Amino acid sequence: VDDMSEPPTKKAKPCVQTVDVPGKPVAGPYSAATVHNGLVYTSGQIAMNDKGEVSGTIEEQTQRALGNLEAVLKAAGASFETVVKMTVIVSDMADFPKVNAAYSEVFSTHKPARTCYSSPALPKGSLIEVDAIAVIPTEPAE
């Protein structure tokens, strides 16, 4: 005779974990990144400083946005070297050569897939926004 009673319930682990960066609050109701199945998906990072301000040339904003992205990747256990996909949004495609030059300083040998497009209105008047998908290594880097 089959026992038709309900099986014991197990508390499932969340399949998505959120990542926040200490000292760097996000500007809205979202996480800096989420992690699922060994991949980290970052939210868009602009050139916002610790005071919540955005300023500077496109080169300076690109460097700061990439620095903010690096902090999110590090908090999730990843790095630029484990990025598999980047998205770059610029407010003006005429700035693309300058963005590409600053981007090349970070991704000189490791070159992840990348999409770049323009949007005339980025958060806080930013000139650039970047996000990434990266692998979280199963073994710590040496």
Side-chain angles (χ1 to χ4, degrees), residues 2 5 12 29 32 42 61 67 69 79-81 85 89 97 103 106 110 112 115 121 123 135 140:
D2 290 332
S5 63
T42 72
Q61 287 197 28
L69 179 63
S79 68
F80 283 138
E81 291 76 29
K85 175 73 167 77
I89 308 165
Y103 180 95
V106 172
H110 172 64
T115 300
V135 175

Side-chain angles (χ1 to χ4, degrees), residues 17-26 28-35 43 71-76:
Q17 298 172 328
T18 60
V19 176
D20 293 308
V21 181
K24 293 203 178 270
V26 294
Y30 55 88
S31 298
T34 56
V35 174
S43 291
V72 174
L73 291 169
K74 184 177 179 182

Side-chain angles (χ1 to χ4, degrees), residues 14-99:
C15 65
V16 176
Q17 298 172 328
T18 60
V19 176
D20 293 308
V21 181
K24 293 203 178 270
V26 294
Y30 55 88
S31 298
T34 56
V35 174
H36 179 67
N37 285 340
L39 293 175
V40 57
Y41 301 84
T42 72
S43 291
Q45 299 297 309
I46 59 174
M48 191 165 59
N49 64 22
D50 294 339
K51 295 178 184 176
E53 303 164 336
V54 176
S55 64
T57 65
I58 186 63
E59 296 93 342
E60 292 166 338
Q61 287 197 28
T62 301
Q63 291 170 347
R64 179 173 290 283
L66 288 169
N68 291 343
L69 179 63
E70 184 176 32
V72 174
L73 291 169
K74 184 177 179 182
S79 68
F80 283 138
E81 291 76 29
T82 65
V83 170
V84 294
K85 175 73 167 77
M86 285 287 299
T87 303
V88 178
I89 308 165
V90 292
S91 62
D92 184 349
M93 283 305 285
D95 286 333
F96 184 71
K98 295 174 184 176
V99 168

